[in-house]
Amino acid sequence: EVQLVQSGAEVKKPGESLRISCKGSGYSFTSYWISWVRQMPGKGLEWMGRIDPSDSYTNYSPSFQGHVTISADKSISTAYLQWSSLKASDTAMYYCARLYGDGVDYWGQGTLVTVSS
Amino acid sequence: QSVLTQPPSVSAAPGQKVTISCSGSSSNIGNNYVSWYQQLPGTAPKLLIYENNKRPSGIPDRFSGSKSGTSATLGITGLQTGDEADYYCGTWDSSLSAGGVFGGGTKLTVL
C-alpha cells in the first residue's frame, strides 16, 4: 500500500526556521516525483514545487521560489519542505503528494504549520 | 487568482446529477491530462479522476470526467450527502517552472 506520512503539526514564531517531512512507503521512492502543496485557511490548493528524489532536482512555483527549500533523502525515502525565516503568512496546511503523469495520485495527510508571535 | 477557473459553488438534491466545470488554456488543459480531486471537510484531497476520464480503483462510476479543448468537466450522478466536499481540477502547465496548477475549487452542497 502506497503511503505518504507527514510529520506532525508545528507552532512557530515569526523569523524561526522549520523543516517538515514526508516519508514514502509501499513503492519505489525514487521512481516518482514528490510535490508540495499549500492550503491556507479556508482557501484552495496551491502548487509550491516538486522534487525528483532520484537526483534531488527541483522546480519551484515563482510564488514560492526563494522562500522555501524542497529537498529529499532517498536513503530514508523522505522528502522535506524547509523555511529559514517563517512569516505569519506561512500559516497553512501543507501537503506532500506523489506525482503521476500530469497530476497527483497519492497525498500525505497534511502538516499544519502555525506561525504566531 | 487561480490559473484554472472553476465555479465557486454548485448544489443539487440527493439523487440528482451535478457537473463542475474547469476552464484553462492551451498551455495547461489544452495540451495535458486533467485530474480531479475531492476534499472532504478536514481531510486531505483524494484523487477522483485522472487522465481526463479514468477512475482509480475504488472510485464509484457515479463520478466521471471529460475534456474538450481547453475545458474539462466533472460529473457526479446519484448525489449522496457524503459527496458534500470541495472539488478541485488540476493539470500541468507548460508555461510554469513548477509545472502543476489547480483550479480554485468548487464547494458542492447536497441539499
Side-chain angles (χ1 to χ4, degrees):
Chain A
E1 179 194 8
V2 174
Q3 284 191 309
L4 296 173
V5 178
Q6 298 185 226
S7 50
E10 301 273 2
V11 179
K12 292 288 188 178
K13 290 181 167 49
E16 292 187 332
S17 62
L18 174 65
R19 188 177 77 169
I20 62 175
S21 66
C22 167
K23 183 173 177 60
S25 63
Y27 73 100
S28 173
F29 187 69
T30 55
S31 297
Y32 297 83
W33 290 64
I34 293 285
S35 276
W36 285 94
V37 175
R38 182 176 79 174
Q39 187 168 38
M40 299 180 77
K43 301 297 184 183
L45 305 174
E46 299 175 88
W47 200 280
M48 300 177 71
R50 59 176 179 157
I51 187 166
D52 180 350
S54 67
D55 61 5
S56 290
Y57 178 79
T58 54
N59 292 129
Y60 294 91
S61 168
S63 301
F64 296 93
Q65 178 86 48
H67 187 55
V68 297
T69 301
I70 296 172
S71 61
D73 185 341
K74 62 184 178 182
S75 69
I76 55 172
S77 301
T78 301
Y80 301 98
L81 179 65
Q82 182 173 333
W83 295 260
S84 59
S85 180
L86 287 159
K87 305 175 183 178
S89 57
D90 292 318
T91 294
M93 183 71 81
Y94 293 88
Y95 295 102
C96 64
R98 192 180 84 162
L99 295 187
Y100 174 80
D102 294 341
V104 168
D105 59 354
Y106 288 93
W107 297 76
Q109 84 276 18
T111 297
L112 180 62
V113 174
T114 303
V115 184
S116 174
S117 55
Chain B
Q1 195 78 354
S2 302
V3 173
L4 306 179
T5 302
Q6 297 180 235
S9 63
V10 296
S11 61
Q16 297 300 304
K17 173 183 177 178
V18 70
T19 60
I20 298 172
S21 61
C22 175
S23 177
S25 67
S26 58
S27 67
N28 44 66
I29 292 179
N31 283 286
N32 295 286
Y33 288 121
V34 176
S35 300
W36 288 91
Y37 308 95
Q38 177 193 59
Q39 187 175 34
L40 295 167
T43 69
K46 180 177 81 172
L47 178 65
L48 272 185
I49 298 288
Y50 67 101
E51 291 182 0
N52 301 335
N53 55 19
K54 297 179 182 178
R55 285 176 286 107
S57 168
I59 301 299
D61 59 7
R62 299 188 299 107
F63 295 91
S64 64
S66 64
K67 184 184 112 169
S68 178
T70 59
S71 293
T73 302
L74 173 69
I76 311 173
T77 60
L79 277 172
Q80 302 173 1
T81 55
D83 296 332
E84 277 209 350
D86 293 321
Y87 292 84
Y88 295 90
C89 58
T91 186
W92 216 244
D93 193 309
S94 54
S95 69
L96 301 176
S97 56
V101 288
F102 294 106
T106 299
K107 169 67 177 175
L108 168 63
T109 300
V110 181
L111 302 167

